[in-house]
Amino acid sequence: MLRQTLLFLSAQPRLRHWAETSALAGPLTRRFVAGTTLDDVIRVCTEINGQGIATSLDHLGENVTSAAEAGESRDQALKGLTRIADQRLNSTVSIKLTQFGLDLGTDLCLDNVAPLVERARDIGTRVEIDMESTVYTDRTLEIVTALHQRFGCVRAVIQAYLRRSEADIRLLSEAGIPVRLCKGAYNEDASVAYPEKVQVDENYLRLARLLLEIGNDPALATHDDRMVAAGKGHPADKFEYQMLYGVRRDLQRRLVAEGYRLRLYVPYGDAWYPYFMRRLAERPANLLFLAKSLFRN
Ligand SMILES: Cc1cc2nc3c(=O)[nH]c(=O)nc-3n(C[C@H](O)[C@H](O)[C@H](O)COP(=O)(O)OP(=O)(O)OC[C@H]3O[C@@H](n4cnc5c(N)ncnc54)[C@H](O)[C@@H]3O)c2cc1C
């Protein structure tokens, strides 16, 4: 119930505006967001790389409403890729297609994202295309496939809570497209998504085993010890773990010490509200943590 409420609040534009412009923004987001500027996130990623952990830069934002805004997102992501190359960071970039104009049209979105993927290919990295709600699943996979055919260096994301995901993994793997497997972070109807956590977990484990068998450099994105165990014993050069900046640092350190590859998803920017609310929804105990840190400030 609390999870549903937090996800509902995450989609309220007025609350979002209030929160993102409030003086509480800094203290609230410090735990999960690397800062507001590209300099901030590059500094954080350099430190993380220094600990033997790869990164993926995420310039926060989603659902832009004009072509100009979509173009700004493209320019910001291109700047991120330039800094990755200049600083020789071990980093990909992660993007959400609604930030690049998916709501305005598939062609416009593809035109905005293609230059990024081309630049990523030229500097030897990759663009990871986050998966949003099921309104966008088909169009996202269509764009990922088109980009893979043109440039090769993309990764798709598949959500274990969706009933369709096994079929999608088989299609993407056959096409040679790498997949990041996560549980899924949006509010979905039971007709398309498993409603119970236990079902989502079982499906995650099944899909992780499938990906480790037929996938191309797959990524297991999770902080759940049971899901993490699915990768244990598999050669470390055949897959990577992925986690979110600020979550389960104990587990992050342990996996690196055991010799596994780990990549942290590192968000930055001003448009933090929906991302932040999804993190609270995943673990309502974070509310307590936040209340304490606000009190300290
Ligand atoms: C690298 C990465 C990329 C992702 N990309 C996408 C995407 O493109 N699309 C999408 O829908 N979802 C994405 N997600 C989010 C994902 O779908 C889940 O919502 C999120 O990872 C929580 O699931 P979990 O596997 O960690 O398991 P859970 O069962 O939610 O959590 C297991 C344990 O992990 C810890 N934990 C989990 N979340 C938090 C948190 N926020 N704060 C503190 N502790 C926590 C807790 O100890 C919890 O008990 C991504 C996640 C990661 C790690």
Side-chain angles (χ1 to χ4, degrees):
M1 184 62 188
L2 186 51
R3 178 177 179 274
Q4 254 77 25
T5 309
L6 288 165
L7 286 176
F8 171 77
L9 292 176
S10 76
Q12 303 308 308
R14 281 209 189 138
L15 260 180
R16 175 178 175 174
H17 177 75
W18 172 80
E20 287 176 356
T21 52
S22 135
L24 293 178
L28 268 179
T29 58
R30 199 167 294 146
R31 161 105 188 254
F32 298 118
V33 178
T36 51
T37 66
L38 186 55
D39 281 340
D40 290 335
V41 76
I42 293 294
R43 196 170 42 248
V44 168
C45 288
T46 305
E47 263 169 42
I48 294 171
N49 278 187
Q51 297 159 18
I53 302 173
T55 51
S56 192
L57 247 67
D58 166 41
H59 183 237
L60 290 165
E62 41 207 90
N63 295 102
V64 299
T65 52
S66 72
E69 279 180 286
E72 279 167 27
S73 301
R74 178 200 56 222
D75 294 345
Q76 185 65 26
L78 282 169
K79 280 187 198 151
L81 283 164
T82 301
R83 293 292 296 276
I84 287 172
D86 289 352
Q87 318 273 140
R88 304 216 163 104
L89 289 178
N90 179 0
S91 190
T92 59
V93 294
S94 286
I95 62 169
K96 287 187 172 46
L97 291 184
T98 60
Q99 192 182 7
F100 293 81
L102 189 56
D103 289 319
L104 307 169
T106 304
D107 288 346
L108 178 129
C109 182
L110 192 52
D111 287 349
N112 276 319
V113 177
L116 299 185
V117 184
E118 189 174 23
R119 175 80 61 89
R121 181 197 61 194
D122 293 347
I123 67 169
T125 186
R126 147 191 297 167
V127 177
E128 313 206 19
I129 309 219
D130 290 355
M131 188 56 82
E132 299 174 72
S133 75
T134 44
V135 175
Y136 303 108
T137 311
D138 282 325
R139 282 178 285 162
T140 301
L141 292 179
E142 204 182 294
I143 290 178
V144 170
T145 305
L147 291 166
H148 172 77
Q149 283 163 357
R150 271 174 76 185
F151 306 107
C153 51
V154 287
R155 196 198 302 270
V157 177
I158 291 295
Q159 297 153 321
Y161 63 16
L162 294 188
R163 297 177 191 273
R164 60 180 281 171
S165 288
E166 179 181 344
D168 287 333
I169 284 182
R170 289 190 184 279
L171 282 175
L172 290 164
S173 300
E174 229 165 77
I177 303 174
V179 169
R180 170 202 299 161
L181 179 65
C182 64
K183 287 189 186 176
Y186 296 82
N187 227 351
E188 299 291 355
D189 193 83
S191 59
V192 291
Y194 297 108
E196 302 296 336
K197 178 171 163 53
V198 53
Q199 296 172 300
V200 177
D201 288 356
E202 280 321 303
N203 203 37
Y204 189 103
L205 290 173
R206 218 165 47 79
L207 297 180
R209 285 192 289 268
L210 180 65
L211 264 181
L212 289 165
E213 193 189 318
I214 67 167
N216 306 275
D217 196 15
L220 301 185
T222 182
H223 317 95
D224 185 333
D225 293 303
R226 270 188 72 220
M227 308 301 121
V228 165
K232 292 289 180 77
H234 288 266
D237 60 340
K238 293 280 183 270
F239 75 104
E240 67 182 30
Y241 288 112
Q242 294 193 349
M243 293 188 197
L244 302 176
Y245 174 71
V247 178
R248 291 293 314 265
R249 282 171 277 206
D250 57 328
L251 182 55
Q252 293 172 16
R253 279 193 290 271
R254 216 181 316 138
L255 287 173
V256 173
E258 288 170 5
Y260 289 103
R261 284 192 292 149
L262 172 66
R263 183 181 305 279
L264 291 192
Y265 182 104
V266 190
Y268 75 103
D270 295 321
W272 51 267
Y273 177 76
Y275 176 87
F276 174 81
M277 292 300 282
R278 288 196 293 275
R279 304 293 77 85
L280 289 188
E282 280 153 12
R283 190 164 179 263
N286 283 337
L287 283 168
L288 196 64
F289 169 87
L290 282 175
K292 279 188 199 152
S293 61
L294 283 179
F295 199 62
R296 273 200 303 273
N297 282 284

